[in-house]
Structures are given as structure tokens and as C-alpha cells.
Amino acid sequence: GRIEMPLFYVIRGLCRDDKYKCSQGQFPITQNVTVVEGGTANMTCRVDYNDNTSLQWSNPAQQTLFFGDKKALRDHRIELVRATSQELTIRIGDVSLSDEGLYTCSLFTMPVKTTKAFLTVLGVPTRPEITGFTKPAMERDVITLTCTTSGSKPAAIIRWFRNDKEVQGTKEVNATGKSFTVRSSLQFQVDRRDDGVAYTCSVEHVSLSSPYMTTEVLEVHYAPHLDIAHSQIIPQEGQYFKLECVSIGNPIPEPVLWSKDGGELPDIERMIVEGRELTITTLNKTDNGTYRCEASNHLGTSSAEYVLFVYAACACTPSAPPPRYPNAVGPHGPDHALIGGVVAVVVFITLCLIIVLGRYLARHKGTYLTHEAKGAEDAPDADTAIINAEGNHVHAEEKKEYFI
């Protein structure tokens, strides 16, 4: 029988028998190459069949780099890797952006066969730089932070982060020769919540395995704000009592000054000041009053007050619950006598209304009797009542209902 062979094997057999004809009809095989600036690019050109016809590499300017194994261009960065009848591979070291372009591999047959390969060079961006930080910034200032990176190709991508949260900036791209300079800006009004916040500029690019990042921490100066914290909810005589002046501000507001009722502390033996704390070792009724702490920095002064009312010591027995005190922020609590009086008046008015309503209903309650039954209600027994009722039938024309 007849055996059919695939066309590939037929052509391969023919080329084995006549390599000259096959080399005349084929084109060199190449591949595009991408390399990072400063790296090394291997350019390979090959053919399947060759009868000792030379292969040649040329650069984008059509300058011959290698003809077979012979170096034609004096460039120390270019060297031969392999030269055979079927392959010509060269290496270009320390690649620059100017090396990018179309390279030509030529097979010197009649006519000459050529194939192109494109060398792409990626420009590596510089590490980002953040400008515009004012140290320190003042609260309510408007500042502009700018992140800049240059040398990228294609243009790099810049992203901003406020701590870990991404925020949007304004992007600007400028070409510089074959590379790009990229800028991104953030503009905002500073407040005290920005104090200590980290602003990070991240640069992403195809040439980088991980982003380049630069971080700056914003320092914000702002006026102080004070509050007073106390150790006892219900201060009582004989207790140890502490007040703490809690301050926020940058710079830290110092020193903290304590006063009572607009003057100096009256008993420095029992009233001990240590930094931001005022301690009264043993409370008594003479400690009642308004305590004030004050502190300042170069942006302003702030103060806070606490009204102290000292209650009598609790003389509770284990079986009796302790008395309930109002919140100890001052000498005035709820007036229980007033509340009791209001309740008594409400109860009295309610009782009066009930009595009046009862009397009104009683006065309007009666018995309806017909004329026929008149007199029956006074009968001593049922028979007499019937007789009395029948005696009245003669006056039927006077049947009328009346109300007693």
C-alpha cells in the first residue's frame, strides 16, 4: 500500500539532501529582548540549515556589531557568546536607554535574508524624595507635600499613604530625554490630628521587584487643652484625694500651676503638688471649693476647673446600705424636700377630685316609678301591693313616669 508522510518530514528530508536550497529559502530566527537599564542583554540569531553562509548582527544605527565571529564595532560592552554556522549570539553589557531599538540579524545568502529583534530597555526610577515638610508645622497651616522620582521608563506610578490608608495626590509627568520625571502632590490643612502621622510616598515600576518607599512623619504644634481627672467619685472626710491635670498640646504645656478659689493653695502640708498632680492627704470640710490648673506653651494658655464638695464620713452598719450621694462636682445636690412637697400636693388634688366626682354621681342617681305602682312600695306584703296597684288602674289616663 501507499504510505503518506507529513509535509514537515518531506521538507526535512529534502533539506537533508540539498542544504544549499534550504538555506536559500529560510529567514533567520530572532526574539525580542527586554532588559533593565544597567543590565545585560543576550541577542541570539539562528537558522535551521546553513551551508557555511555567514550571520551578522547590526545595531539600530545599522552599524555591524559582529560578522560571524569577527567583531566589527569597537565597543567594550559588546562581546561574542557563540558563533556557529547556525547561530550567532552576542552579549551587550551595561545596557543604557540609548541602546534601545531594532537590531538586525542578516543571513548572507543570495539575496540576503534579514530579521529584526527589538531591544527594550527599562529605565529604573530613582528612590522617591518628599519635599514640602515644615518642621514643625503649625495647626491650621496649609502645606503641600511633593514626591518626585526621575529616570523611569515607562513613567513610574506614585501612590500616597497616610499611615496605612491610601490618599489621592495630583500627578504630573514630564519627559526627560528617553526617561520620565514623575511628581505627585498632596495639599491639606494641618490640624492636631496630623501630629505624628506618617506620610509615605510609594513608587511602583515594572523594573522593580518591590516598590521604593520614602516616609516622613509630620510634627504639628498646637495650643494646649486641659482637663482634670479625680480619684474619688464621692469625696468624704478623712479620705486621700488626688486631682490630675491632664493636658494635650505640642510642645507639652509646662509648668502646671494649681490654685484654689482664685488664690494659692491654703494648706501646703496636706496639699502636695507633684508635677501635674495635686494630692490632698486627708480631706475635711475646709477643702470645699474650686480647684484650678493652668498650663501654657508658645501657642497659648489653657486651664481647667474642678469643684470639690467633701461629704461627711459614712457611718454605715454592715446591715444597712450606705447612703446615696449626688455627684461630687459641687456642694449642691437634688432638693429632696421640694420633691416630696410636690408629690404631696399632687396626691391631695387627686383625692379632692375623686370625692367631688363621687358626690356628683350620688346626687344624680334615682328610682323611676310608674303611676300604677305608686303606693305599692309601702305595702307590708306582696298581696297588699297587688291590690293597691290594681286600685290605681282607674286612673289610666294619668299614667305618667315621674322622677324622685
Side-chain angles (χ1 to χ4, degrees):
R2 182 179 177 182
I3 300 176
E4 294 186 1
M5 297 180 64
L7 182 61
F8 169 78
Y9 292 105
V10 173
I11 295 175
R12 187 173 182 180
L14 292 174
C15 288
R16 187 182 297 113
D17 296 335
D18 194 345
K19 293 182 179 180
Y20 174 76
K21 290 183 179 180
C22 286
S23 64
Q24 294 296 307
Q26 68 177 333
F27 283 81
I29 300 170
T30 61
Q31 275 188 319
N32 294 332
V33 177
T34 298
V35 63
V36 174
E37 184 180 15
T40 299
N42 284 348
M43 309 291 294
T44 297
C45 177
R46 61 182 178 83
V47 291
D48 288 331
Y49 303 100
N50 197 352
D51 58 347
N52 295 323
T53 302
S54 297
L55 292 169
Q56 173 186 288
W57 271 114
S58 302
N59 64 15
Q62 294 303 309
Q63 296 172 312
T64 301
L65 303 179
F66 269 89
F67 185 80
D69 59 355
K70 302 294 189 297
K71 187 174 183 177
L73 184 67
R74 291 183 179 180
D75 187 336
H76 68 280
R77 300 178 305 124
I78 303 173
E79 58 185 19
L80 181 66
V81 176
R82 180 180 297 173
T84 67
S85 61
Q86 293 179 296
E87 179 183 338
L88 177 59
T89 299
I90 63 174
R91 178 181 295 124
I92 304 174
D94 192 18
V95 175
S96 66
L97 295 179
S98 61
D99 292 322
E100 184 175 87
L102 277 174
Y103 286 72
T104 305
C105 176
S106 303
L107 174 64
F108 280 86
T109 58
M110 293 298 293
V112 177
K113 304 293 192 308
T114 62
T115 302
K116 305 287 186 180
F118 197 88
L119 175 62
T120 300
V121 182
L122 301 176
V124 182
T126 59
R127 291 192 173 273
E129 179 183 358
I130 299 177
T131 58
F133 266 92
T134 303
K135 292 192 176 181
M138 301 299 167
E139 188 174 27
R140 293 184 293 277
D141 282 355
V142 176
I143 65 173
T144 301
L145 304 182
T146 301
C147 178
T148 304
T149 180
S150 59
S152 60
K153 179 184 164 295
I157 297 172
I158 292 180
R159 299 171 66 191
W160 280 102
F161 294 89
R162 184 184 187 274
N163 289 336
D164 295 327
K165 183 179 179 181
E166 185 171 1
V167 291
Q168 296 300 317
T170 302
K171 184 179 178 181
E172 177 187 346
V173 179
N174 294 309
T176 307
K178 290 190 174 185
S179 64
F180 297 91
T181 297
V182 184
R183 293 182 180 86
S184 181
S185 299
L186 281 179
Q187 187 177 75
F188 55 94
Q189 186 176 44
V190 175
D191 64 30
R192 61 188 61 195
R193 292 173 297 180
D194 288 308
D195 186 39
V197 170
Y199 283 87
T200 299
C201 174
S202 172
V203 172
E204 299 175 359
H205 194 261
V206 65
S207 66
L208 303 176
S209 58
S210 59
Y212 284 159
M213 292 187 179
T214 297
T215 300
E216 293 283 353
V217 178
L218 187 60
E219 180 184 359
V220 180
H221 280 191
Y222 53 95
H225 176 77
L226 305 184
D227 283 309
I228 295 180
H230 49 92
S231 61
Q232 299 290 339
I233 298 177
I234 303 175
Q236 298 181 26
E237 288 181 302
Q239 284 184 338
Y240 172 94
F241 187 70
K242 181 187 290 186
L243 295 176
E244 181 183 0
C245 191
V246 181
S247 63
I248 59 172
N250 193 14
I252 296 174
E254 289 180 329
V256 174
L257 304 176
W258 285 96
S259 61
K260 179 178 182 288
D261 296 331
E264 296 182 352
L265 299 176
D267 191 343
I268 59 175
E269 293 184 356
R270 287 188 309 109
M271 298 178 177
I272 302 170
V273 176
E274 293 180 343
R276 300 179 178 278
E277 295 181 351
L278 168 61
T279 302
I280 303 176
T281 57
T282 307
L283 284 175
N284 60 50
K285 288 288 187 178
T286 64
D287 296 326
N288 290 348
T290 301
Y291 291 80
R292 176 188 178 94
C293 72
E294 182 177 298
S296 34
N297 60 21
H298 69 278
L299 293 174
T301 300
S302 180
S303 63
E305 293 184 346
Y306 176 81
V307 179
L308 175 63
F309 180 76
V310 180
Y311 290 85
C314 178
C316 306
T317 62
S319 60
R324 299 183 58 152
Y325 293 99
N327 189 0
V329 296
H332 301 293
D335 192 335
H336 297 288
L338 178 60
I339 295 173
V342 172
V343 172
V345 170
V346 171
V347 171
F348 176 75
I349 292 174
T350 303
L351 290 174
C352 290
L353 289 174
I354 292 172
I355 294 171
V356 171
L357 182 60
R359 291 178 63 86
Y360 174 81
L361 293 175
R363 289 178 61 87
H364 289 75
K365 181 178 181 182
T367 304
Y368 287 89
L369 298 174
T370 63
H371 190 75
E372 303 93 299
K374 186 176 181 181
E377 71 275 8
D378 297 325
D381 52 39
D383 293 336
T384 305
I386 294 172
I387 293 171
N388 291 341
E390 290 176 350
N392 290 326
H393 287 173
V394 296
H395 304 290
E397 71 279 4
E398 296 180 2
K399 290 180 182 178
K400 294 182 181 178
E401 291 184 350
Y402 62 96
F403 177 78
I404 296 176

